[in-house]
Amino acid sequence: MSSFAELLDVLYEDNHVVAVNKPAGWSSAHFDGSDETVDQLVKAYLKEKYAKPGNVFLGVVHRLDKPTSGVLLFARTSKAAARLSEQFRENAVEKTYWAVVEKTSPTEWPQWGTLDDWLRHDDPNHKVIVVPPSTPDAKPARTHFQVKATHGGLMLLELRPQSGRKHQLRVQLASRGCPVFGDVKYGASRPFGHAVGLHARSISFLHPTKNEPITLTAEVPKGWRGPFAYLLPK
């Protein structure tokens, strides 16, 4: 049997936090459903590495959508979990995503700008939709963007969300005629296996005990290198 360490791409680890490069197609945490999840795999990795008896504590401080890859951060102590969760609640964590989108709209995008919308859960359809600001239960969503490259009807965007709404990036892009590649749930023309073209590229936060700034960066999945070769930085 393979070691759990061989199954994980660990980006950072100390006594307080651990971060991995989450593969697409995996749920972040066990309360997302009944599938095998990344937090369970990380717990098994820590238990194996440190020969820990009994249960291993692992605090889930944020999540990525199942088809999204990239930096996923966990806390290894309850104190770290509380402090990191507070940073996420206060939008003190800087998150950067790369998105490959289908450019189906003829509208030209400026080189950079901001997407502002109001979003609401459409529970019967298990989706999130853009609605007028006065809609009951609607919540504001803001994302800064920069166009990195365009080629063959596709566009690579760097996204910096300033709010953390469910499916925020996917919905905001799809509503402007640019669904994330492979995201058939929100209008993409074809699937991309278990993935969509959305990757949590980096995350910056304050270490929960040292108060030192930390930035972690995750390489894009190998599956991006072929279809998106002309978009990615050399």
Side-chain angles (χ1 to χ4, degrees):
M1 177 181 171
S2 298
S3 163
F4 288 106
E6 296 172 2
L7 301 175
L8 286 172
D9 180 5
V10 178
L11 302 175
Y12 181 90
E13 180 186 349
D14 64 17
N15 291 333
H16 307 278
V17 299
V18 58
V20 299
N21 187 354
K22 172 190 166 309
W26 281 69
S27 295
S28 297
H30 66 275
F31 40 77
D32 285 343
S34 59
D35 299 336
E36 285 190 290
T37 57
V38 178
D39 70 327
Q40 292 172 327
L41 190 59
V42 174
K43 282 185 179 182
Y45 157 75
L46 294 170
K47 186 176 180 71
E48 177 185 74
K49 181 175 181 179
Y50 299 106
K52 284 181 170 288
N55 292 328
V56 174
F57 177 87
L58 193 71
V60 178
V61 295
H62 76 126
R63 287 180 284 171
L64 298 175
D65 292 346
K66 187 173 181 178
T68 301
S69 58
V71 185
L72 187 59
L73 182 66
F74 297 100
R76 292 192 57 196
T77 67
S78 57
K79 179 187 290 187
R83 291 179 178 178
L84 288 172
S85 294
E86 183 178 16
Q87 289 186 49
F88 277 99
R89 280 196 306 272
E90 295 180 348
N91 291 324
V93 177
E94 183 173 318
K95 296 168 286 185
T96 301
Y97 289 77
W98 282 1
V100 176
V101 303
E102 297 180 1
K103 197 171 183 303
T104 60
S105 169
T107 304
E108 284 302 314
W109 281 55
Q111 194 62 32
W112 55 80
T114 301
L115 311 177
D116 280 308
D117 293 296
W118 287 78
L119 307 182
R120 181 177 65 81
H121 288 194
D122 179 8
D123 292 330
N125 294 308
H126 305 289
K127 295 173 71 174
V128 176
I129 55 176
V130 175
V131 295
S134 58
T135 304
D137 300 323
K139 295 181 178 179
R142 167 169 284 194
T143 302
H144 303 304
F145 72 86
Q146 182 178 1
V147 177
K148 306 294 286 186
T150 57
H151 181 82
L154 299 178
M155 181 166 60
L156 175 66
L157 298 171
E158 184 171 278
L159 305 167
R160 296 178 183 271
Q162 300 301 295
S163 50
R165 309 303 178 198
K166 182 178 181 180
H167 295 183
Q168 173 176 323
L169 304 179
R170 298 161 63 185
V171 178
Q172 288 194 289
L173 294 169
S175 71
R176 290 164 172 82
C178 292
V180 173
F181 186 89
D183 195 3
V184 293
K185 185 182 188 79
Y186 287 105
S189 62
R190 57 192 185 277
F192 189 35
H194 296 295
V196 297
L198 183 62
H199 178 73
R201 174 63 171 169
S202 68
I203 191 169
S204 299
F205 60 98
L206 284 179
H207 191 280
T209 61
K210 302 175 184 176
N211 282 329
E212 297 173 349
I214 294 177
T215 297
L216 304 176
T217 302
E219 288 299 316
V220 296
K222 292 180 181 178
W224 282 41
R225 293 295 173 186
F228 308 146
Y230 290 101
L231 294 169
L232 297 173
K234 304 304 181 189

